[in-house]
Amino acid sequence: MSRKMHNKYLLLSTVALTMTVTVPVVARAQATDAASQGTGGGESSNTFGDIIVTANKREQKLSDVGVTVTALSGDTLKAQGVSDIASLAPLTPGLTYAPTPSSTPVYTIRGVGFFEPSLAAYPDVSLYLDQVPMPFPVLATHVAFDLERVEVLKGPQGTLFGNNATGGAVNMIHAKPTQTFQAGADLSYGRFNTIELNGFVSGPISDTLTARFAIRAVRGDDWQKSYTRTNQPVPPEYLAVGVPDNPGRRQDTLGSKNNTAARLTLDWKPSDRLTTSFVLTGWRDRDDPTAPQKVATQPGNLPGSTGPAGTVPADLPIFLYPIAPNNARAADWTPSIRPFSNSRYWQTSLRADYDLNDDLTLTSISSYANLRFLNANEYDGTALIATDLARDFGRINTFSQEIRLANAPSNPLRWVLGGNLERSHVYEVIDYRYVDASTFYVLGLPANRYDSDQKMRNYALFGNVEYDLAHWLKLKGGVRHTWANRSTVNAGYQAPGTSEPGPFGPDAPTNFFNAIYQAVFGPQVPLVAVGESYVIDTRVNPDGTPVDPATYLIPGPFRDKLKERNTSWSVGVDIKPKQGLLAYLNVSKGYKAGSYPTLSGVIYDAYSPVTQEKLLSVEGGVKADLFDRTVSVSGAAFYYDYQDKQTRAKFVDPIFGPLDKLVNVPKSKIKGAEAEISLRPVEGLTMTAGVTYLDAKVKKYVGVIDEATDPDSGLRIPVTASFSGVDLPFAPDWQYSARADYNFPLSGSLGGFVGVGVNGQSKSIGILTVSEAERSVYEINARAIVNANIGIQSSSGSWKAQLWGKNIFNKYYWTSAIRAYDVVIRYPARPAEYGVTLSYRF
């Protein structure tokens, strides 16, 4: 065992031994009481304050909530440099983040996630801003600023949070307007000339109206560097395998940051019974997308493959293109299709709480969100035009409304009844370029455009109840019935204004499909006009033979509707034998709605939807405050029966061979445990640690592993195998985090602080695969990342200055590994970063 591996497992053992609890974790007690937020530490007491959460859509002490919740305070987020959910994931064992080729994030909790880059894809982990839904993951890109806390709910949350929360939910609680004038600013400067400004102004406008305005702006230089286009001559061996020359000898770089976000909150309380909150959040993103790294060649068409356009040569440049160095900063991208983003988003919400009487409260939450999405993305990790998303444009419009009625929390029988609806419209169109891919040499098709126009209509009725059977015993349950409707129109066609090389001329896609399908299926297939759809329906009989082409081979867009119904439910019991000790057992079932892809399909089968997935969870846990609340421990063990998991996988197109498609994995099993501990052994010192163990595997699924050629038709057919026992993607066996923070006085008016933390995981996998050989290239490596900060502050908390470092030992690791037709790519995480932050509060 290497020294690095030895140190990693030594750390895991230390964390596990530190937490001597018989069942593993659930909720981390934070170092900072809500009342002390903004002071930067230095509390006079070494006991833990109460953390308030809204996991049951009402305020409760975290220690009284019998569900799996990790709550992190705003001060904790600032101290550890959390600026988005991607940077939140390493601090939350069980939560992982992965990028996609379209720059849409994928979040997974305990192995439950949906890897699908389409803008219209609902997640398995629902996202909320103070209970206001952001139904599509890309909407939350820059909303994690000026936060009071973040609540990560693990396990199915279907009864209160609805469809698409089979993995869990992340609820970001933004800071609220204050009754007195307050203002503050944080200015940071770090590596790559990165400047970040956070500021807020808060206070009363009148006796009944308070307001808060917050802003965050980030600017930074490039951090990735081309390993072929440097200020030195391109090596002859690179030129020999197709790397473009760089006559200007200029280092090509990528990765600049340029994003701005702002939020306005208006709280109005015109009477003792009515409280309203209006929130307007918006962001503008001009960050460069991360360029992936080519790590292996996996030809879509093997050398020697033939087709109507010719034969794949053995020395095809994409096959021979050099592998990226094992360095986070080393990458490559197509100079003529430089990755960029230019997206903007805004969301407005209005919440009203009206006390009908002393016992009943009516709550209404309305929201509307709009996203304009535009970027270009490197897909194959080379300077060649092998698989490049030259332009990805999309629009999202989504409206939601929730109304609920609840009685007072002081009742022994507490209940909430409600309903909600969501109406969303998502359009996405992508220009795809692949003139240097192996498929071009077989088929002569160099580029195309494809789009997706999807509409969603979701309705639900729900109820939740808790009953104190005794002062130490609580029974609880909930149910939600959901009607989920989705429609789609998908098509592929000639990208307007393009004139690409190849045997089929300037209107290559249209001419290609007219030629290829008439050659394969006969002249009865109608010709398609330039610019129209070329998608072909190839439905088959039960025996697998094609139906009559004159009847079923119909050019035109793919149109379909998906109507689903489901009933989520949960039951549980909380046992609290004494103050500071809670044990609980929950059984719940959740659902995620079906989905259509956005992809470059050739036949109707490629656009087939995945149907809704379902997850049955059994979970038990404990929480305990010990030694006069100087130690807080919690733990949970869980078992998931996971059916019809949705994921992207391969199918074999009869013309192109292995391509992407959405599939349902019939049966998976997940079991695991978590443990966390927080302690204050002496005044000023806070120590926290957490660990998650997972065993997440497929139990039943037969999928594509290769292709073959049908001897009669000459078309490609799939080769399949059982995936039973295969690891689920993005589900490492171990995830862990540990941190120590120490606040100490320097003088009567000055204090110091220092903090150091480590977080990491064991290796995982980016795709479903049965091949041991593939595991090495699709593996996501193990890592232990160390972060630290040190600084001084005034004893009043009015100012603070600190030095900080992220990934201070410059660990090279990546967050995803997938196939891009002819190659395997990985997405590297940012290297070591360090800087200084100055903070001031008025």
Side-chain angles (χ1 to χ4, degrees), residues 602-810:
V602 181
I603 60 175
Y604 275 14
D605 188 48
Y607 297 103
S608 299
V610 282
T611 55
Q612 62 186 359
E613 67 179 28
K614 42 192 173 290
L615 189 149
L616 178 66
S617 167
V618 179
E619 180 167 344
V622 295
K623 301 179 182 183
D625 294 327
L626 307 172
F627 308 112
D628 294 326
R629 302 186 72 180
T630 60
V631 177
S632 176
V633 295
S634 56
F638 52 88
Y639 175 82
Y640 292 169
D641 182 359
Y642 194 8
Q643 298 183 42
D644 295 323
K645 171 183 170 58
Q646 302 169 357
T647 190
R648 267 207 186 200
K650 297 298 179 183
F651 84 111
V652 174
D653 180 274
I655 304 297
F656 284 89
L659 294 177
D660 284 354
K661 180 187 177 183
L662 293 181
V663 301
N664 287 107
V665 177
K667 196 171 185 62
S668 304
K669 297 288 185 183
I670 301 175
K671 54 187 177 182
E674 299 185 359
E676 294 183 9
I677 183 170
S678 300
L679 63 156
R680 288 184 175 174
V682 297
E683 185 172 340
L685 176 62
T686 301
M687 303 172 68
T688 61
V691 62
T692 295
Y693 168 74
L694 283 180
D695 180 12
K697 288 183 169 55
V698 173
K699 289 299 180 184
K700 181 181 179 182
Y701 171 55
V702 176
V704 172
I705 60 168
D706 205 346
E707 62 171 307
T709 301
D710 187 297
D712 297 324
S713 66
L715 298 177
R716 304 185 186 192
I717 57 176
V719 177
T720 61
S722 171
F723 280 65
S724 178
V726 165
D727 291 336
L728 292 182
F730 308 108
D733 289 350
W734 292 96
Q735 286 179 270
Y736 56 89
S737 67
R739 185 171 175 89
D741 289 280
Y742 184 52
N743 292 270
F744 50 92
L746 294 173
S747 68
S749 60
L750 198 63
F753 59 90
V754 61
V756 61
V758 60
N759 58 74
Q761 66 170 59
S762 60
K763 64 183 180 181
S764 60
I765 195 77
I767 66 167
L768 292 174
T769 178
V770 297
S771 167
E772 287 300 321
E774 284 189 342
R775 289 193 63 87
S776 62
V777 293
Y778 291 107
E779 184 178 280
I780 300 171
N781 64 333
R783 68 259 193 175
I785 307 302
V786 180
N787 308 310
N789 65 317
I790 186 171
I792 58 174
Q793 62 186 349
S794 67
S795 56
S796 64
S798 61
W799 64 267
K800 180 194 301 185
Q802 65 174 315
L803 299 173
W804 50 264
K806 301 178 183 178
N807 189 12
I808 60 178
F809 295 115
N810 201 31

Side-chain angles (χ1 to χ4, degrees), residues 180-224:
T180 59
F181 175 79
Q182 297 181 16
D186 304 289
L187 180 63
S188 297
Y189 177 79
R191 191 182 182 192
F192 308 118
N193 290 321
T194 301
I195 300 174
E196 178 176 339
L197 172 66
N198 287 272
F200 75 93
V201 178
S202 178
I205 296 177
S206 70
D207 292 341
T208 59
L209 181 65
T210 57
R212 184 183 185 98
F213 177 75
I215 189 169
R216 178 177 183 264
V218 182
R219 303 291 184 270
D221 292 345
D222 296 338
W223 67 276
Q224 289 187 294

Side-chain angles (χ1 to χ4, degrees), residues 139 344-347 368-372 395-398:
L139 303 183
R344 60 177 181 262
Y345 168 76
W346 62 270
Q347 181 181 50
Y368 175 79
N370 174 273
L371 172 73
R372 179 189 178 275
R395 296 187 302 267
I396 295 178
N397 296 285
T398 178

Side-chain angles (χ1 to χ4, degrees), residues 3 91 121 162 165 259 275 343 345 376 410 425 487 560 563 573 595 613 669 795:
R3 183 176 181 84
L91 308 184
N259 63 78
T275 301
S343 301
Y345 168 76
S410 57
H425 183 192
S487 65
D560 199 22
K563 294 184 177 182
V573 57
S595 187
E613 67 179 28
K669 297 288 185 183
S795 56

